[in-house]
Coordinates of all heavy atoms in Angstrom, one line a residue:
S82 N 4.8 7.9 0.6 CA 5.2 9.2 1.3 C 6.3 9.1 2.3 O 7.2 10.0 2.5 CB 3.9 9.9 1.9 OG 3.5 9.0 3.1
S83 N 6.3 8.0 3.1 CA 7.4 7.7 4.0 C 8.8 7.7 3.3 O 9.6 8.3 3.8 CB 7.1 6.5 4.8 OG 8.2 6.3 5.8
L84 N 8.8 7.0 2.3 CA 10.0 6.8 1.5 C 10.5 8.1 0.9 O 11.7 8.5 0.9 CB 10.0 5.6 0.6 CG 11.3 5.1 0.0 CD1 12.2 4.8 1.2 CD2 11.0 4.0 -0.9
M85 N 9.6 8.8 0.4 CA 9.9 10.1 -0.3 C 10.4 11.0 0.7 O 11.4 11.8 0.4 CB 8.6 10.6 -0.9 CG 8.8 11.7 -2.0 SD 9.6 11.2 -3.5 CE 11.2 12.1 -3.3
L86 N 9.8 11.1 1.9 CA 10.3 12.1 2.9 C 11.7 11.7 3.4 O 12.5 12.5 3.7 CB 9.3 12.1 4.1 CG 8.0 12.8 3.8 CD1 7.0 12.6 5.0 CD2 8.4 14.4 3.6
A87 N 11.8 10.4 3.5 CA 13.2 9.9 4.0 C 14.3 10.2 3.0 O 15.4 10.6 3.4 CB 13.1 8.3 4.2
K88 N 14.0 10.3 1.7 CA 15.0 10.6 0.7 C 15.2 12.1 0.7 O 16.4 12.6 0.6 CB 14.5 10.2 -0.7 CG 14.5 8.7 -0.9 CD 13.7 8.3 -2.2 CE 14.4 8.8 -3.4 NZ 13.7 8.4 -4.6
I89 N 14.1 12.9 0.8 CA 14.3 14.4 0.8 C 15.0 14.9 2.0 O 15.8 15.7 1.9 CB 12.9 15.0 0.7 CG1 12.3 14.7 -0.7 CG2 13.0 16.5 0.9 CD1 10.9 15.3 -0.9
Q90 N 14.7 14.3 3.2 CA 15.4 14.7 4.5 C 16.8 14.1 4.6 O 17.5 14.5 5.6 CB 14.5 14.3 5.6 CG 13.1 15.0 5.6 CD 12.2 14.6 6.7 OE1 12.5 13.5 7.4 NE2 11.0 15.3 6.9
G91 N 17.1 13.2 3.9 CA 18.4 12.5 3.9 C 18.6 11.4 4.9 O 19.7 10.9 5.1
V92 N 17.5 11.0 5.5 CA 17.6 10.0 6.6 C 17.7 8.7 6.1 O 17.9 7.7 6.9 CB 16.5 10.2 7.7 CG1 16.7 11.6 8.4 CG2 15.2 10.0 7.1
I93 N 17.3 8.5 4.8 CA 17.4 7.1 4.2 C 18.7 6.4 4.3 O 18.8 5.2 4.3 CB 16.9 7.3 2.6 CG1 16.7 5.7 2.0 CG2 18.0 7.9 1.9 CD1 15.6 5.1 2.7
I94 N 19.8 7.3 4.4 CA 21.1 6.7 4.5 C 21.3 6.0 5.8 O 22.2 5.0 5.8 CB 22.2 7.9 4.4 CG1 23.6 7.3 4.2 CG2 22.2 8.8 5.6 CD1 23.8 6.5 2.9
D95 N 20.6 6.2 6.9 CA 20.6 5.6 8.2 C 20.2 4.1 7.9 O 20.5 3.3 8.8 CB 19.8 6.3 9.2 CG 20.3 7.7 9.6 OD1 21.6 8.0 9.4 OD2 19.6 8.5 10.0
I96 N 19.3 4.0 7.0 CA 18.8 2.6 6.8 C 19.6 1.8 5.8 O 20.0 0.7 6.0 CB 17.4 2.7 6.2 CG1 16.4 3.3 7.1 CG2 16.8 1.2 5.8 CD1 15.0 3.6 6.6
L97 N 20.2 2.5 4.9 CA 21.1 1.8 3.8 C 22.4 1.6 4.2 O 23.2 0.8 3.5 CB 20.9 2.6 2.5 CG 19.6 2.8 1.9 CD1 19.6 3.7 0.7 CD2 19.0 1.4 1.6
M98 N 23.0 2.4 5.1 CA 24.4 2.4 5.3 C 25.0 1.0 5.8 O 24.4 0.4 6.6 CB 24.7 3.4 6.4 CG 26.3 3.6 6.6 SD 26.7 5.0 7.7 CE 25.8 4.3 9.2
P99 N 25.9 0.5 5.1 CA 26.5 -0.8 5.5 C 27.2 -0.7 6.9 O 27.7 0.3 7.3 CB 27.7 -1.0 4.5 CG 28.0 0.4 4.1 CD 26.7 1.1 4.1
P100 N 27.1 -1.8 7.6 CA 27.6 -2.0 9.1 C 29.1 -2.1 9.1 O 29.8 -2.5 8.2 CB 26.9 -3.2 9.6 CG 26.9 -4.2 8.4 CD 26.6 -3.2 7.2
L101 N 29.6 -1.6 10.3 CA 31.2 -1.8 10.6 C 31.2 -2.7 11.7 O 30.6 -2.2 12.8 CB 31.9 -0.5 10.6 CG 31.9 0.3 9.4 CD1 32.5 1.8 9.7 CD2 32.8 -0.3 8.3
S102 N 32.1 -3.5 11.9 CA 32.4 -4.3 13.1 C 33.1 -3.5 14.0 O 33.7 -2.4 13.7 CB 33.0 -5.6 12.8 OG 34.3 -5.4 12.3
G103 N 33.2 -4.0 15.3 CA 34.0 -3.2 16.2 C 35.5 -3.0 15.8 O 36.1 -2.0 16.0
G104 N 36.0 -4.2 15.4 CA 37.5 -4.1 14.9 C 37.7 -3.2 13.8 O 38.8 -2.5 13.7
E105 N 36.7 -3.2 12.8 CA 36.9 -2.3 11.6 C 36.8 -0.9 12.1 O 37.6 0.0 11.6 CB 35.7 -2.6 10.6 CG 35.9 -3.9 9.9 CD 34.7 -4.4 9.2 OE1 33.5 -3.9 9.5 OE2 34.8 -5.2 8.2
V106 N 36.0 -0.5 13.1 CA 35.9 0.8 13.5 C 37.2 1.2 14.3 O 37.7 2.3 13.9 CB 34.7 1.0 14.6 CG1 34.7 2.4 15.1 CG2 33.3 0.8 13.7
V107 N 37.7 0.4 15.1 CA 38.9 0.6 15.8 C 40.2 0.9 14.7 O 40.8 1.8 14.8 CB 39.4 -0.4 16.7 CG1 40.7 -0.2 17.3 CG2 38.3 -0.5 17.9
L108 N 40.3 -0.1 13.8 CA 41.2 0.1 12.7 C 41.1 1.4 11.9 O 42.1 2.1 11.6 CB 41.2 -1.1 11.9 CG 42.2 -1.1 10.7 CD1 43.6 -1.4 11.4 CD2 42.0 -2.4 9.7
A109 N 39.9 1.7 11.6 CA 39.7 3.0 10.7 C 40.0 4.2 11.6 O 40.6 5.0 11.1 CB 38.2 3.0 10.3
K110 N 39.6 4.2 12.9 CA 40.0 5.3 13.8 C 41.5 5.4 13.9 O 42.0 6.5 13.9 CB 39.3 5.1 15.1 CG 37.8 5.3 15.0 CD 37.4 6.7 14.9 CE 35.9 6.8 15.1 NZ 35.4 8.3 15.0
A111 N 42.2 4.3 14.1 CA 43.7 4.3 14.3 C 44.4 4.8 13.2 O 45.4 5.6 13.4 CB 44.0 2.9 14.6
F112 N 44.0 4.6 12.0 CA 44.7 5.0 10.8 C 44.0 6.3 10.1 O 44.4 6.7 9.0 CB 44.8 3.9 9.8 CG 45.8 2.9 10.2 CD1 45.2 1.7 10.8 CD2 47.2 3.0 10.1 CE1 46.2 0.7 11.3 CE2 48.1 1.9 10.5 CZ 47.6 0.9 11.1
W113 N 43.1 6.9 10.9 CA 42.4 8.1 10.3 C 41.8 7.9 8.9 O 41.6 8.9 8.1 CB 43.5 9.3 10.2 CG 43.9 9.8 11.5 CD1 45.0 9.3 12.1 CD2 43.3 10.7 12.4 NE1 45.2 9.9 13.3 CE2 44.2 10.8 13.5 CE3 42.1 11.3 12.3 CZ2 43.8 11.6 14.5 CZ3 41.9 12.2 13.3 CH2 42.6 12.4 14.6
T114 N 41.4 6.6 8.7 CA 40.8 6.4 7.4 C 39.4 7.2 7.4 O 39.0 7.6 6.1 CB 40.4 4.8 7.2 OG1 41.6 4.2 7.4 CG2 39.9 4.6 5.9
M115 N 38.7 7.2 8.4 CA 37.5 8.0 8.4 C 37.7 9.4 7.9 O 36.8 10.0 7.2 CB 36.8 7.9 9.8 CG 36.3 6.6 10.2 SD 35.0 6.0 9.1 CE 34.6 4.5 9.9
A116 N 38.7 10.0 8.4 CA 39.0 11.3 8.1 C 39.2 11.6 6.6 O 39.0 12.6 6.0 CB 40.1 12.0 8.8
I117 N 39.8 10.6 5.9 CA 40.0 10.7 4.5 C 38.9 10.4 3.6 O 38.5 11.0 2.7 CB 41.2 9.6 4.1 CG1 42.4 9.9 4.8 CG2 41.3 9.5 2.6 CD1 43.4 8.8 4.7
M118 N 37.9 9.4 4.1 CA 36.8 9.1 3.4 C 35.6 9.9 3.5 O 34.7 10.1 2.6 CB 36.4 7.6 3.7 CG 37.4 6.6 3.4 SD 36.9 4.9 4.0 CE 35.4 4.7 3.1
M119 N 35.6 10.6 4.6 CA 34.3 11.4 5.0 C 34.7 12.8 5.5 O 35.8 12.9 6.0 CB 33.4 10.6 6.0 CG 33.0 9.3 5.6 SD 31.8 8.6 6.7 CE 31.3 7.2 5.9
R120 N 33.8 13.7 5.4 CA 33.9 15.0 5.8 C 33.9 14.9 7.5 O 33.3 14.1 8.0 CB 32.8 16.0 5.5 CG 32.9 16.2 4.0 CD 31.6 17.0 3.6 NE 30.3 16.3 3.9 CZ 29.2 16.8 3.8 NH1 29.0 18.0 3.4 NH2 28.1 16.1 4.1
P121 N 34.7 15.8 8.1 CA 34.8 15.9 9.5 C 33.4 16.1 10.1 O 32.6 16.9 9.7 CB 35.6 17.1 9.8 CG 36.5 17.3 8.6 CD 35.6 16.9 7.5
G122 N 33.1 15.3 11.0 CA 31.7 15.3 11.7 C 30.5 14.6 11.0 O 29.4 14.9 11.4
A123 N 30.8 14.2 9.8 CA 29.7 13.7 9.0 C 29.2 12.3 9.5 O 28.0 12.1 9.3 CB 30.2 13.4 7.5
M124 N 30.0 11.6 10.3 CA 29.4 10.4 10.8 C 29.4 10.4 12.2 O 30.3 10.9 13.0 CB 30.4 9.2 10.4 CG 30.0 7.8 11.0 SD 30.9 6.4 10.4 CE 30.4 6.3 8.8
K125 N 28.2 9.9 12.9 CA 28.0 10.1 14.2 C 28.3 8.6 14.7 O 28.3 7.6 14.1 CB 26.5 10.4 14.5 CG 26.2 11.8 14.1 CD 24.7 12.2 14.2 CE 24.4 13.5 13.7 NZ 22.9 13.7 13.9
R126 N 28.5 8.6 16.1 CA 28.7 7.2 16.8 C 27.5 6.3 16.5 O 27.7 5.2 16.3 CB 28.9 7.4 18.3 CG 29.1 6.1 19.1 CD 29.3 6.4 20.4 NE 28.1 7.0 21.0 CZ 28.1 7.4 22.4 NH1 29.1 7.3 23.0 NH2 27.0 8.1 22.9
F127 N 26.4 6.9 16.4 CA 25.1 6.0 16.3 C 25.1 5.4 14.8 O 24.8 4.3 14.6 CB 23.7 6.9 16.3 CG 22.6 6.1 15.9 CD1 21.9 5.2 16.8 CD2 22.1 6.4 14.6 CE1 20.8 4.6 16.3 CE2 20.9 5.8 14.2 CZ 20.2 4.8 15.1

Side-chain angles (χ1 to χ4, degrees):
S82 62
S83 178
L84 192 53
M85 192 71 243
L86 284 172
K88 290 169 64 176
I89 291 177
Q90 295 173 352
V92 298
I93 191 67
I94 193 64
D95 294 336
I96 299 174
L97 299 175
M98 189 175 58
L101 294 174
S102 66
E105 291 168 339
V106 173
V107 172
L108 182 64
K110 290 288 187 181
F112 289 98
W113 294 95
T114 305
M115 292 294 182
I117 298 174
M118 296 176 60
M119 299 187 175
R120 294 175 296 175
M124 181 175 284
K125 303 177 182 179
R126 180 178 59 183
F127 171 79

